[in-house]
Structure formats: structure tokens, C-alpha cells
Amino acid sequence: MGIDENAAVNPKWTDRSRTMVTLSRGVPARVRHLANDLKNFFPQIHSEPKFDKKDNLLILNEMAGLSRCERVMYFEARSGQDFYLWFSTNIAGGPSAKFRVFNVHTMSELNFTGNCLKYSRPILSFDPAFESAPHMRLLKEMLTQMFYVPENHPKSKPYFDHIINFGLTPDQRIWIRFYAIPAGNIDTEVEEIGPRLVLELIRILNGSFEGDVLFNNQEYISPRFHRRQIRLAAAAKTRARASEKQSRAVKHNVLKKIIRPDHVGEIFNEEVSSKEAKKLMAQIDAKKKKKSKIGVAKKAKA
């Protein structure tokens, strides 16, 4: 394992800042387990009871102040199926960021073979794309403050035996993965530990849950709006199908009323002039009348 040499030289605990983690009411079990997994990685995390969604988010700053915490990590559930994550790196002056959470998988669910010491210090690995824009550099600093372990913390271990990787996809989503360093040798292939989650940045505020908007993601689409568009598209498809069916019925009725020319029948509509033809037609009519009388008699007997 990689030993932190500064911890052996200067064992004094100077960074005493803590992070408050709380959840809104209505979050599913998977998000609760994710919060518990994060508690096992970071000794500075302090958990609070569930927060009522109807309350103002500024109350979180007061809760963190009463708990002697400087940072806040708040998991919020909306509509029972949409999950958001709030970061506040400093309750006194911000900044804070709001993310939408995707693809949450807990450690117990993944059941990976990798493992690391509890409360050991991580190596934070960032995608080079975090240096591409000012708001991404700010976001990198915020993630560093939220996911690091304070040096010489009484509960921490002076080892670097796992890596937290922050990957950035072309659609600007942040993939967070946890990897273990086998036997503390970083040159060997790392093993994933879990948990897994994906974040989509929505906005960054100047203050802690308030203030001016420093960055607003113009490509972000609200999940409610997305579901509404799907419903509208399905309704439009149903209306188009019903309209097509109605138009087919109208067309069919119009075609039924049209008398089409019968060129073959017109040949036989001419008047019969020869005696032999008249005699043959009389025989045919007699046979038709006879058949019709037999059918009427059978129906009367039945």
C-alpha cells in the first residue's frame, strides 16, 4: 500500500472540516444504500435525518452549521423516479451545484472482488476534459473537496489503496467509479470496488443553495418534460391512426355509391330478336321459378 509520508512526519490533524449527508423523504432504498457506501469511504461524513422536500433548501445550511459541518451533500427525490444530488462546498459562501443522478449501483449489488481499507485515503483521478472550460475547472475543485479524506484524520488510515475516477463523456456526463489498488502497487491492474453512479450537471450557483447562476446547462432536458414529449408523441400517433381509419371508412362508403360501367353486362342487355333465343330464355326462367317453388315448400315443411 502507498504510505502517506507527510502523515508520519506531521501527524497533526489540521483539516477538521466535515461534510453533512442527508436525503429527502421518498428516496428509494438504492439511494439510501449509496449514501451508506459513501459513509464507509469518508470518515468526515456526518449523516442527518431525512429532509422534508417542502422546506427551503437554505435550511440545509442551518442544519450543517448546527452539526459543525462546512459542506453539504443532499440527495433529493422527485416524482418517485427522478433523483438529484446537491453539492455545497462551503455553507458560508458557496459555491453549490445541482446534478441529476443516473445509473446508481451499490457495492452490495455489484459484488465486485476488489476491496480496500475502511477510511483509507483515495487518489482522485480526473479526466483531462475537466480542464477544457472554466466551469469544468470549478467543478473539478468542488468534486475534489467533496471526495477527499482530510490528512491525519483520527479515523483515517495513512494509506492510498484505492482510486476514485471521474470520467467525462462526450455528452458532459460524469462517471464516478471506485477502484482498489491491489497490494498497494499502482503499476498493476486495478480492481473495481463500487459503488457506481453517473451525474449530469444542471447548474452551478454562486452561493450555498442560492445566489447567481454561474453556469446553466443549456442541453439539460427535464425528465418531466421528456416524459411529456413521449406522451404527446404517443397521443399524436393515436390520433393519426384514428383519423386514417375514419378517412378509410368515408372513402369506402363513397365507393359503394358509385355505379361503375359494366361493359361485359352491356353486351347482354340488348333485346332478343330470334325465336330460338326467346325459347331458351323461357326455359331458363321456368327452371328458376321451379327451384324457387321447391325452396319455399321445403321451408314450409320445416
Side-chain angles (χ1 to χ4, degrees), residues 57 74 76 78 83-88 95-101 139 142 174 199-205 209 215-217 220 222-223:
L57 291 178
Y74 171 52
E76 183 181 15
R78 293 286 181 184
F83 313 115
Y84 302 91
L85 175 61
W86 280 90
F87 283 162
S88 177
S96 57
K98 183 181 182 181
F99 305 86
R100 188 183 174 197
V101 184
L139 186 60
M142 294 178 66
I174 304 169
L199 304 179
E200 181 182 10
L201 179 63
I202 300 176
R203 67 177 63 92
I204 301 176
L205 302 179
F209 303 107
F215 173 77
N216 190 24
N217 188 1
Y220 171 73
S222 171

Side-chain angles (χ1 to χ4, degrees), residues 107-147:
M107 294 178 67
S108 59
E109 179 185 3
L110 295 170
N111 200 18
F112 283 126
T113 57
N115 196 6
C116 67
L117 290 174
K118 186 176 183 180
Y119 298 152
S120 58
R121 302 191 68 192
I123 297 175
L124 303 183
S125 173
F126 288 90
D127 192 287
F130 276 95
E131 300 292 336
S132 60
H135 74 277
M136 296 306 297
R137 290 193 290 271
L138 174 60
L139 186 60
K140 177 181 177 181
E141 180 61 29
M142 294 178 66
L143 291 171
T144 301
Q145 294 185 25
M146 297 301 297
F147 287 92

Side-chain angles (χ1 to χ4, degrees), residues 46-283:
H46 169 75
S47 60
E48 281 288 333
K50 289 185 178 179
F51 182 75
D52 195 347
K53 292 183 291 186
K54 296 179 182 179
D55 294 338
N56 194 334
L57 291 178
L58 295 178
I59 299 178
L60 291 171
N61 296 329
E62 299 179 9
M63 293 173 57
L66 294 174
S67 303
R68 294 178 297 174
C69 298
E70 294 184 3
R71 296 179 292 271
V72 178
M73 185 183 296
Y74 171 52
F75 290 92
E76 183 181 15
R78 293 286 181 184
S79 303
Q81 52 187 329
D82 306 324
F83 313 115
Y84 302 91
L85 175 61
W86 280 90
F87 283 162
S88 177
T89 55
N90 189 344
I91 61 173
S96 57
K98 183 181 182 181
F99 305 86
R100 188 183 174 197
V101 184
F102 297 90
N103 303 335
V104 174
H105 299 283
T106 61
M107 294 178 67
S108 59
E109 179 185 3
L110 295 170
N111 200 18
F112 283 126
T113 57
N115 196 6
C116 67
L117 290 174
K118 186 176 183 180
Y119 298 152
S120 58
R121 302 191 68 192
I123 297 175
L124 303 183
S125 173
F126 288 90
D127 192 287
F130 276 95
E131 300 292 336
S132 60
H135 74 277
M136 296 306 297
R137 290 193 290 271
L138 174 60
L139 186 60
K140 177 181 177 181
E141 180 61 29
M142 294 178 66
L143 291 171
T144 301
Q145 294 185 25
M146 297 301 297
F147 287 92
Y148 86 110
V149 173
E151 186 179 1
N152 299 322
H153 192 283
K155 294 183 179 179
S156 68
K157 309 293 189 302
Y159 306 112
F160 294 96
D161 65 346
H162 66 283
I163 300 172
I164 304 179
N165 178 257
F166 301 91
L168 197 63
T169 59
D171 57 353
Q172 300 298 307
R173 294 188 180 184
I174 304 169
W175 289 41
I176 301 178
R177 298 291 184 266
F178 292 72
Y179 299 95
I181 305 173
N185 187 2
I186 198 170
D187 296 329
T188 61
E189 186 176 354
V190 295
E191 299 175 354
E192 189 169 357
I193 310 171
R196 287 178 172 181
L197 67 154
V198 178
L199 304 179
E200 181 182 10
L201 179 63
I202 300 176
R203 67 177 63 92
I204 301 176
L205 302 179
N206 187 30
S208 181
F209 303 107
E210 63 175 352
D212 299 332
V213 178
L214 299 179
F215 173 77
N216 190 24
N217 188 1
Q218 300 295 334
E219 298 180 359
Y220 171 73
I221 299 176
S222 171
R224 285 188 176 183
F225 179 78
H226 181 65
R227 288 193 293 269
R228 183 173 180 270
Q229 292 299 109
I230 293 175
R231 290 196 300 269
L232 291 176
K237 188 176 179 180
T238 302
R239 287 194 299 269
R241 193 162 51 242
S243 177
E244 184 181 356
K245 184 178 179 181
Q246 185 178 2
S247 64
R248 282 201 307 267
V250 172
K251 184 177 180 181
H252 180 70
N253 294 332
V254 171
L255 291 176
K256 283 174 64 177
K257 296 178 181 179
I258 297 176
I259 301 176
R260 299 182 181 179
D262 186 4
H263 300 290
V264 177
E266 289 177 357
I267 299 174
F268 299 96
N269 290 337
E270 297 178 358
E271 294 183 0
V272 179
S273 56
S274 63
K275 294 181 179 181
E276 294 180 355
K278 289 181 179 180
K279 184 178 179 181
L280 182 60
M281 289 180 64
Q283 291 177 359

